[in-house]
């Protein structure tokens, strides 16, 4: 995996020579989650399938866990068979992921709560202040603060003022 700070510095030095001395603030420090914090979900409707251990929230879904918020048209909650705890959230339709310092958008997302991994898929856009990264897929290790972007990666790095 590539640390986003290193990626941003490398891109600044290689792709934007005039900005080589500019500092970038593209660390993923704000993309953190506490897997032990309660998960709150609001939606227009909920359907539960006991046989598969899944619950599907539809319509203006908003999920919160600590400072992290995820919104989407539909979110499927997958429970761990052994513990009965929420193991994974699978969101589709205008997915937005927000923390105190970052915002990300994608067509779909999978949040592996126990593994601390967030995968954004389809027209991914990550913004931090005036800096932005886009790609088709972004895998974020929330515990390590690292990310890997693939598929048409593009970056806009604003120099420090």
């Amino acid at each position: 995996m590539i640390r986003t700070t290193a990626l941003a510095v490398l891109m600044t030095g290689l792709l934007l020579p005039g900005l080589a001395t500019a500092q970038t603030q593209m660390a993923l420090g704000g993309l953190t989650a506490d897997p032990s914090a309660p998960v709150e979900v609001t939606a227009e409707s909920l359907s539960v399938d006991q046989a598969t251990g899944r619950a599907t929230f539809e319509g203006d879904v908003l999920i919160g866990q600590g400072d992290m918020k995820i919104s989407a048209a539909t979110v499927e909650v997958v429970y761990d068979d052994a513990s009965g705890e929420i193991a994974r959230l699978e969101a589709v339709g205008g997915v937005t992921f927000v923390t105190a310092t970052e915002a990300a958008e994608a067509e779909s997302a999978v949040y592996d709560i126990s593994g601390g991994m967030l995968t954004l898929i389809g027209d991914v856009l990550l913004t931090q202040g005036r800096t932005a990264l886009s790609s088709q897929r972004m895998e974020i290790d929330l515990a390590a603060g690292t990310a890997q972007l693939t598929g048409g990666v593009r970056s806009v790095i604003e120099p420090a003022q």
Side-chain angles (χ1 to χ4, degrees):
M1 289 208 162
I2 300 172
R3 283 212 177 270
T4 303
T5 304
L7 174 66
V9 170
L10 177 67
M11 290 175 74
T12 300
L14 294 178
L15 301 178
L16 305 170
L19 300 177
T21 59
Q23 274 193 320
T24 56
Q25 300 296 321
M26 203 59 191
L28 291 172
L31 291 176
T32 59
D34 178 2
S36 65
V39 176
E40 180 179 348
V41 182
T42 60
E44 295 295 320
S45 67
L46 167 64
S47 60
V48 178
D49 185 344
Q50 294 291 336
T52 63
R54 294 175 182 256
T56 303
F57 292 89
E58 293 185 283
D60 297 324
V61 182
L62 178 61
I63 300 166
Q65 184 180 37
D67 291 336
M68 183 176 61
K69 307 288 184 247
I70 300 171
S71 63
T74 303
V75 175
E76 188 170 30
V77 179
V78 180
Y79 294 90
D80 181 89
D81 290 333
S83 70
E85 299 291 320
I86 297 173
R88 189 172 70 246
L89 302 172
E90 299 173 359
V92 294
V95 177
T96 304
F97 171 82
V98 179
T99 69
T101 57
E102 289 94 9
E105 300 173 6
E107 293 173 5
S108 65
V110 176
Y111 175 31
D112 176 358
I113 294 172
S114 58
M117 293 293 296
L118 176 67
T119 303
L120 303 169
I121 304 161
D123 295 328
V124 177
L125 175 64
L126 172 67
T127 58
Q128 289 180 321
R130 297 175 11 170
T131 300
L133 285 170
S134 66
S135 68
Q136 286 303 305
R137 182 180 182 94
M138 181 176 189
E139 296 176 355
I140 304 166
D141 182 330
L142 297 168
T146 60
Q148 181 175 0
L149 291 89
T150 55
V153 178
R154 182 172 181 208
S155 179
V156 176
I157 302 169
E158 291 287 335
Q161 299 279 333

